[in-house]
């Protein structure tokens, strides 16, 4: 425990804070379509998702090892750099949550770390070949694979049930969605909780508390799982609205197809150690499901805004992480305090802005647009 200095403790707490934002930012990945089709009540959906996120965190550590010893050189990384990278990731998560954009929490984390390590240790501190192999290539391939799989599954689902009673088909697929959405939640916990495990493990390695190439200890796995599970339970209602209602009008066969395709892609990649974006996979699955139903409306304007957010997430988080690392590197403990206070001020501003037009469990299915302007109706409380 001598290696757990105040700075290391601050980094661990910040990593768990990122994990928490990852949870409510990405709740939509698992439950948006089930909530949109009425397969699950909103509060029930986020409770199931939160519990299964915690369970999923214990299933694998391959992605955690990719982060702790893959994309950056752990011999050159310091806890201060990791702190700076986490700040970039958290602020990007909060900004895109405010706008209701399903951007990638994973790429925000990778971007923040890459920018911070690049500034703090030089470009040789980043393993760009691993970034391409483990991050960029999966980012391009995974939503396409999930989209094509969901498109084919949706087409087949409607063809097979074309002569069946509509009420029976809807009821059957809604029951199926409970299972498929639960599997997405399990997969999300397996994939995304590991990223925070990897960051904390990297911090412990950089502080000398763990040996190089060490895996995450049990307490790291448990704390990361609980943090993402709690964030998921609070419900990222703004992004749930966008993914459930903003991309296409989802019916229960489409929801089942999208969730089944997404689960397959996420669990396969987690087993192989690819740190992909569950947001991109699930969004690709929803778009594919929309294209797979005849006469379904796909809102390409919303899809376009999402793609722009995907493209700028990694560099934007890297920029904030790099700037934060510059202050931390030159300012020492004072620099860390300055960055922490600035980040807290920006986060507070974002939360205050979100209350001007809140989205919550009661109104999440009312419209497909998310706004940050205007005033909240009387009696409406805060929302995630």
């Amino acid at each position: 425990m001598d290696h757990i200095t105040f700075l290391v403790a601050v980094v661990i707490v910040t990593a768990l804070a990122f994990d928490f934002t990852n949870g409510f930012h990405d709740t939509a990945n698992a439950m948006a379509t089930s909530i949109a089709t009425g397969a699950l009540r909103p509060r029930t959906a986020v409770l199931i998702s939160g519990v299964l996120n915690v369970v999923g965190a214990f299933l694998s550590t391959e992605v955690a090892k990719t982060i702790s010893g893959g994309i950056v050189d752990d011999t050159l990384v310091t806890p201060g750099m990791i702190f700076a990278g986490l700040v970039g990731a958290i602020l990007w998560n909060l900004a895109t949550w405010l706008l209701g954009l399903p951007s990638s929490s994973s790429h925000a984390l990778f971007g923040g770390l890459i920018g911070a390590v690049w500034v703090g240790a030089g470009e040789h501190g980043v393993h760009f070949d691993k970034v391409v192999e483990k991050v960029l290539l999966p980012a391009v391939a995974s939503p396409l694979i999930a989209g094509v799989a969901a498109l084919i599954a949706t087409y087949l689902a409607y063809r097979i049930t074309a002569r069946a009673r509509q009420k029976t088909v809807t009821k059957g697929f809604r029951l199926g969605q409970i299972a498929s959405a639960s599997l997405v939640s399990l997969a999300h916990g397996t994939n995304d909780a590991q990223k925070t495990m990897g960051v904390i493990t990297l911090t412990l390695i950089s502080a000398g508390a763990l040996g190089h190439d060490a895996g995450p200890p049990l307490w790291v796995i448990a704390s990361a799982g609980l943090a993402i599970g709690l964030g998921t339970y609070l419900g990222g209602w703004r992004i749930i609205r966008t993914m459930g209602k903003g991309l296409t009008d989802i019916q229960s066969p489409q929801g089942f197809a999208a969730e089944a395709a997404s689960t397959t892609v996420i669990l396969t990649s987690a087993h192989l150690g690819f740190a992909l974006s569950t947001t991109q996979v699930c969004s690709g699955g929803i778009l594919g499901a929309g294209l797979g139903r005849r006469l379904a409306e796909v809102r390409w304007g919303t899809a376009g805004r999402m793609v722009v957010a995907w493209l700028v997430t990694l560099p934007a988080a890297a920029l904030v992480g790099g700037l934060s690392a510059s202050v931390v590197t030159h300012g020492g403990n004072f620099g860390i305090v300055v960055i922490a206070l600035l980040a807290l001020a920006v986060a507070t501003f974002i939360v205050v802005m979100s209350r001007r037009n809140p989205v919550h469990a009661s109104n999440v299915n009312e419209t497909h647009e998310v706004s940050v302007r205007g005033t909240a109706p009387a009696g409406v409380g805060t929302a995630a």
Side-chain angles (χ1 to χ4, degrees):
M1 295 298 291
D2 294 340
H3 297 283
I4 308 299
T5 63
F6 174 74
L7 175 57
V8 170
V10 168
V11 175
I12 292 173
V13 171
T14 307
L16 293 175
F18 164 78
D19 206 24
F20 178 82
T21 67
N22 190 350
F24 74 72
H25 194 280
D26 289 2
T27 310
N29 296 345
M31 292 299 175
T33 55
S34 294
I35 292 172
T37 63
L40 287 168
R41 294 179 181 273
R43 286 293 180 190
T44 302
V46 295
L47 175 60
I48 292 172
S49 187
V51 171
L52 290 174
N53 271 190
V54 177
V55 175
F58 289 88
L59 296 185
S60 173
T61 58
E62 291 303 315
V63 174
K65 293 174 183 176
T66 295
I67 294 173
S68 63
I71 64 174
V72 294
D73 188 341
D74 58 18
T75 64
L76 300 176
V77 173
T78 66
M81 295 178 201
I82 299 172
F83 171 76
L86 287 167
V87 167
I90 290 172
L91 293 182
W92 183 257
N93 266 0
L94 290 175
T96 49
W97 163 75
L98 176 66
L99 298 172
L101 285 174
S103 68
S104 171
S105 295
S106 305
H107 289 181
L109 176 60
F110 301 147
L113 285 176
I114 290 169
V117 174
W118 197 343
V119 169
E123 64 180 77
H124 53 284
V126 181
H127 297 153
F128 288 102
D129 56 334
K130 290 294 183 182
V131 172
V132 173
E133 176 190 351
K134 296 288 189 178
V135 178
L136 298 184
L137 290 180
V140 175
S142 58
L144 293 176
I145 294 171
V148 171
L151 187 154
I152 295 171
T154 299
Y155 174 78
L156 292 175
Y158 279 104
R159 285 296 299 270
I160 292 170
T161 60
R163 299 184 179 219
R165 292 179 56 192
Q166 184 63 37
K167 185 176 181 181
T168 302
V169 171
T170 298
K171 182 179 180 180
F173 276 108
R174 282 183 176 177
L175 290 173
Q177 273 196 275
I178 296 175
S180 60
S182 297
L183 285 173
V184 176
S185 297
L186 191 70
H188 180 256
T190 301
N191 192 278
D192 280 39
Q194 288 191 64
K195 291 157 190 172
T196 298
M197 295 177 208
V199 169
I200 296 176
T201 302
L202 181 61
T203 302
L204 296 173
I205 291 173
S206 69
L210 290 176
H212 296 298
D213 299 323
L218 180 60
W219 69 267
V220 172
I221 297 173
S223 59
L226 288 171
I228 198 170
L230 181 59
T232 298
Y233 174 68
L234 290 182
W237 305 112
R238 305 176 80 83
I239 299 176
I240 288 175
R241 173 180 286 182
T242 299
M243 290 187 72
K245 292 292 186 179
L247 284 174
T248 185
D249 294 317
I250 288 286
Q251 295 181 356
S252 52
Q254 294 168 282
F256 177 79
E259 290 160 358
S262 299
T263 299
T264 303
V265 173
I266 294 169
L267 286 178
T268 301
S269 67
H271 177 71
L272 296 174
F274 292 120
L276 54 69
S277 165
T278 54
T279 300
Q280 292 180 359
V281 172
C282 294
S283 298
I286 292 172
L287 279 173
L291 293 171
R293 177 167 68 92
R294 276 187 72 191
L295 304 179
E297 178 190 2
V298 176
R299 300 183 181 94
W300 293 108
T302 301
R305 289 193 295 273
M306 286 171 48
V307 171
V308 171
W310 293 354
L311 292 175
V312 302
T313 290
L314 198 147
L319 178 62
V320 177
L323 291 174
S324 300
S326 179
V327 175
V328 169
T329 300
H330 294 94
N333 289 336
F334 177 74
I336 290 172
V337 172
V338 169
I339 292 299
L341 291 176
L342 285 174
L344 183 61
V346 173
T348 301
F349 173 76
I350 290 172
V351 171
V352 170
M353 287 293 293
S354 74
R355 293 182 176 179
R356 297 180 65 182
N357 197 340
V359 182
H360 43 77
S362 300
N363 69 1
V364 68
N365 280 337
E366 288 182 4
T367 178
H368 60 79
E369 295 293 337
V370 174
S371 172
V372 294
R373 298 176 179 241
T375 56
V380 175
T382 60

